[in-house]
Amino acid sequence: MSDAAALTPPICRGCGTQYTAPRPDCPVCLDERQYVSPAGQRWTTLAELREAGHTGRFEEEGPDVLGVGVTPQFAIGQRALLLRTAAGNVLWDCVPYLDDAMVRAIEELGGIDHIAISHPHFYSSMVEWAHAFDAPVHLHEADRAWVGRPDPSLHFWSGRTHHLTDEVTLINPGVHFPGSAVLHWSAGDGALFTGDVFNVCPDNNWVSLMYSYPNHIPERPHAVRAAADLLSTYHFDRIYGAWWHRVVPSQGNKTLTRSIDRYLSFEQAPTPTDA
């Protein structure tokens, strides 16, 4: 990193988390739910990403749901989602990149009233986004320790649910991270926004649950059962995952139930015996 770049908040090239000041390591990547590249810990800044030719990417992902991402792909490659609700725009999850053109495009759609994030892997450059749109960021208290850039724009909630508006509720299912969140939007046929707390599979008839996706560590069965019980009281036709076009287009409740039943069936299967 150049001397000039070191004066601005650094961004981990592995996971996309932005920190207040330069540091030798990234705690998010050192955790067993993520990883440090074999090439070692590497850093960049928003200025360097802009100079390298990164730009914003926008695509409709569903009714009143706009995908917001970056091209070329950076870090773990997630896209955020802009929900255009009756009570204002909500940005669900976040991406490490932001530039003036992206800000103008979103302002033309009404800006951002709230930012809510599913878990620490997607904290990314959330403070940059909060400052650009003068919007509060809603995070679960249980994951406060993972914040790399503390700021007054960060608002911490606790418990199992937190209502942003009459239509939008944050829910803490407690899988993947203790403070993980999913977002339920009750308008129309209902929708559930999950990041990869519940990961929409390439076959979008299924979702998956993992404690660590890159390191292939399964989620604890008791946590999966508790999450299923918590979400059983919410209706949602669609499920929106963390990556482009990872959307369950219909029968979201049935898809989630079927997926959890399949997951737990392996845990409950009898141990095979030697012949």
Side-chain angles (χ1 to χ4, degrees), residues 199-208 245-248 259 262:
N199 187 43
V200 176
C201 298
D203 174 356
N204 62 8
N205 292 305
W206 299 91
V207 300
S208 64
H245 313 306
R246 294 291 186 91
V247 179
V248 175
S259 299
R262 180 174 72 169

Side-chain angles (χ1 to χ4, degrees), residues 78-188:
Q78 81 273 15
R79 58 97 173 89
L81 293 164
L82 186 70
L83 287 56
R84 289 164 284 183
T85 81
N89 291 344
V90 176
L91 185 72
W92 170 245
D93 277 334
C94 199
V95 295
Y97 185 75
L98 183 65
D99 61 26
D100 290 342
M102 295 174 72
V103 173
R104 287 194 298 271
I106 293 173
E107 289 287 9
E108 289 175 0
L109 297 173
I112 296 173
D113 296 281
H114 295 279
I115 300 170
I117 302 182
S118 61
H119 68 291
H121 290 157
F122 298 161
Y123 285 0
S124 60
S125 295
M126 59 185 175
V127 173
E128 300 284 348
W129 284 80
H131 291 179
F133 295 98
D134 192 24
V137 181
H138 302 272
L139 308 173
H140 197 280
E141 174 67 33
D143 287 341
R144 181 191 286 262
W146 294 105
V147 171
R149 186 181 173 187
D151 189 81
S153 64
L154 307 183
H155 295 242
F156 295 92
W157 59 280
S158 60
R160 285 302 200 182
T161 61
H162 176 63
H163 297 283
L164 288 186
T165 72
D166 289 342
E167 295 182 348
V168 176
T169 301
L170 301 179
I171 306 164
N172 168 230
V175 293
H176 196 37
F177 275 80
S180 64
V182 298
L183 183 153
H184 182 256
W185 188 8
S186 63

Side-chain angles (χ1 to χ4, degrees), residues 11-17 19 26 28-29 34-35 74-76 78 96 121-122 124:
I11 297 172
C12 172
R13 285 188 174 272
C15 69
T17 301
Y19 291 88
C26 172
V28 173
C29 288
Q34 185 55 20
Y35 63 95
F74 173 71
I76 58 179
Q78 81 273 15
H121 290 157
F122 298 161
S124 60

Side-chain angles (χ1 to χ4, degrees), residues 2 16 21 23-24 36 58 65 73 136 154 164 169 221 255:
S2 68
R23 54 179 302 141
V36 177
F58 299 93
V65 177
Q73 180 176 304
L154 307 183
L164 288 186
T169 301
T255 298

